[in-house]
Amino acid sequence: MKKLAKNTVLCLQPVPQTIVSCRDKEGRNNALVVGFTANVSLDPVMVMVGIVPTRYSHHMVKETGSFVINLPKKNFMKEYDYLGSRSGRDEDKFAALNLQWTDATYVNAPILTDCPVSIECSVVESTQPGSHELFIGKVEAVHVDEEYLDEKGNILWSKMDLL
Ligand SMILES: Cc1cc2nc3c(=O)[nH]c(=O)nc-3n(C[C@H](O)[C@H](O)[C@H](O)COP(=O)(O)O)c2cc1C
């Protein structure tokens, strides 16, 4: 017999495990762990990330209208934990972790090159119905490590050892 849960927080599972990288208007890079991510449109392709306004990354996404969603592999657990618990307000997390990165091609944000998939997004709109501001991003490009693409450019998700 079903009963009602008293704690309904995060009732939709599993929560995606992603790292969102971004940059402020002075060019400083930062990244944080974001579980509130979703596909929101097939045509044009759009996704969403939810960021709490008190996160240091929040003003960066606001300023540049850009973010990158990086999908980490299991061997990136140490970096994932760090990026999800420390704030760019207190330190340069890229320097602390010696993160490997490159500029995104179409948006003003860094790509984490150790992640097999990085999704470049430009913000088309945002809304804040609750705790998180939901940034809806048009997908400008999806970078994938060559070994995880077939000859037609399809992503071979099952080959990836994602977190
Ligand atoms: C598993 C996990 C999921 C998280 N999901 C989110 C999220 O969806 N949105 C958010 O704003 N913060 C989320 N956080 C918290 C931020 O990653 C964390 O507060 C981070 O230190 C913020 O970094 P910043 O201040 O440099 O932006 C999550 C943390 C963890 C560990």
Side-chain angles (χ1 to χ4, degrees):
M1 187 165 55
K2 292 195 192 308
K3 293 175 105 180
L4 292 178
K6 289 201 175 72
N7 181 359
T8 57
V9 168
L10 293 174
C11 54
L12 187 59
Q13 294 283 331
V15 174
Q17 295 180 300
T18 77
I19 299 170
V20 169
S21 46
C22 51
R23 178 177 288 160
D24 69 11
K25 60 180 186 315
E26 276 82 39
R28 280 186 292 262
N29 293 330
N30 194 37
L32 81 165
V33 168
V34 172
F36 285 30
T37 56
N39 295 297
V40 297
S41 169
L42 296 175
D43 184 16
V45 180
M46 292 193 282
V47 293
M48 177 223 86
V49 296
I51 301 180
V52 180
T54 53
R55 310 289 186 236
Y56 190 65
S57 303
H58 180 267
H59 80 282
M60 299 176 140
V61 174
K62 281 281 215 201
E63 279 174 14
T64 59
S66 300
F67 61 90
V68 173
I69 303 176
N70 305 274
L71 306 185
K73 290 206 276 193
K74 289 200 172 73
N75 63 7
F76 216 59
M77 195 66 210
K78 177 180 71 102
E79 291 83 353
Y80 179 84
D81 282 345
Y82 198 96
L83 295 168
S85 57
R86 310 287 281 258
S87 178
R89 188 176 287 111
D90 307 318
E91 60 180 310
D92 178 345
K93 290 193 269 188
F94 274 50
L97 290 169
N98 192 25
L99 287 182
Q100 303 303 299
W101 63 276
T102 187
D103 283 327
T105 312
Y106 300 100
V107 307
N108 188 11
I111 283 176
L112 301 186
T113 50
D114 284 327
C115 292
V117 177
S118 297
I119 305 163
E120 290 190 30
C121 304
S122 52
V123 176
V124 292
E125 63 179 87
S126 76
T127 177
Q128 193 179 340
S131 57
H132 291 54
E133 182 159 359
L134 311 179
F135 293 100
I136 296 174
K138 179 171 177 291
V139 173
E140 306 289 1
V142 182
H143 301 266
V144 183
D145 284 353
E146 201 175 350
E147 63 192 288
Y148 303 120
L149 281 177
D150 71 12
E151 64 287 347
K152 289 182 180 153
N154 297 306
I155 303 172
L156 303 170
W157 294 107
S158 60
K159 275 186 81 179
M160 275 181 231
D161 198 18
L162 292 178
L163 253 183

